[in-house]
Amino acid sequence: MNNQDKTDHKPTNATTQTPTPLRCLTGSLISGGLAIALYSLTAAIAQTFAAKPIHSDNPAVINIASAVRTLVVGITALGTGIFGLVALGLIGLAIQILIQQATKKGSPS
């Protein structure tokens, strides 16, 4: 039914780039900036929800609104945490690469 070749085809113009400390730190700055932006968004959303209580006597409406508010704040908090951890990981990778480069230069060949 499917006449496609089963072999793995790699793109001919694909280049692998090794990570450098500068690239890691640049990515870390970008990720850290996004984490800070998402943190301020999370705080603003939480303050807005706290300032505007749910006005209803229907328990179903209160439960659904509460769940939606929790999900919205939770998603932005999750994004904050992910981007923050990526920033820390990239800083750690930059330090690891610097240490590896220093030990290669210091050790005799």
Side-chain angles (χ1 to χ4, degrees):
M1 292 189 182
N2 192 356
N3 293 333
Q4 294 178 355
D5 192 15
K6 299 284 183 181
T7 59
D8 291 334
H9 294 287
K10 294 183 180 179
T12 56
N13 60 357
T15 58
T16 57
Q17 297 177 353
T18 59
T20 62
L22 180 62
R23 292 181 68 178
C24 291
L25 292 176
T26 303
S28 176
L29 285 174
I30 293 170
S31 182
L34 287 171
I36 291 169
L38 279 172
Y39 177 77
S40 63
L41 178 67
T42 303
I45 290 171
Q47 289 173 357
T48 301
F49 285 160
K52 297 178 183 177
I54 303 166
H55 300 292
S56 178
D57 293 332
N58 189 345
V61 170
I62 293 172
N63 287 339
I64 291 171
S66 176
V68 168
R69 288 177 175 212
T70 302
L71 286 172
V72 169
V73 173
I75 288 171
T76 57
L78 180 66
T80 301
I82 288 173
F83 280 108
L85 288 174
V86 167
L88 289 175
L90 285 171
I91 290 172
L93 180 61
I95 292 170
Q96 180 182 5
I97 292 170
L98 285 172
I99 291 172
Q100 286 176 352
Q101 288 176 352
T103 56
K104 282 184 182 178
K105 290 180 182 176
S107 64
S109 299

